[in-house]
Amino acid sequence: MSGLTLATAQEWVDAYVAAWRSNDPDEIAALFAADATYAYSPWKEPLRGVDAIVADWLESPDPPDSWEASYTAAYVDGDTAIFKGETVYPAEGHRYANLFEVRLAAGRCVSFVDWHMRMPMS
């Protein structure tokens, strides 16, 4: 039986958003298992391994004040959590609805898939 709950999943996604905002390589790495996979969409080949994930995040980071994000742990089943959220890039006029499909083990992500749709700005 997994110890994953909506509360522990929320802690993970809050740390994810904090690492995204800080662009700190240690904070990013702390989120992922050594052999984690990370897919920016379900149709793309995922990044493989924490070093590749950190390097990719830092290749073209979002400046901390260029976006707003809100994510909520919506569902947990075993070691898998689904997060529902929205990210807005006001200067670019971009708004995205996201579902993150994340498998966690010992508090670290082992598999991440971002399902997202661009939405009109309201």
Side-chain angles (χ1 to χ4, degrees), residues 48-79:
R48 296 186 183 281
V50 67
D51 292 338
I53 294 166
V54 171
D56 192 76
W57 270 35
L58 297 176
E59 187 174 308
S60 57
D62 292 327
D65 296 328
S66 69
W67 54 276
E68 301 163 11
S70 175
Y71 288 89
T72 302
Y75 177 78
V76 169
D77 183 21
D79 62 357

Side-chain angles (χ1 to χ4, degrees), residues 89-101:
Y89 294 88
E92 290 97 15
H94 297 165
R95 182 174 166 226
Y96 296 91
N98 300 77
L99 288 177
F100 295 161
E101 177 185 348

Side-chain angles (χ1 to χ4, degrees), residues 22-43:
S22 75
N23 294 313
D24 180 290
D26 293 331
E27 285 184 39
I28 299 165
L31 297 168
F32 297 96
D35 60 349
T37 59
Y38 188 101
Y40 286 101
S41 84
W43 302 279

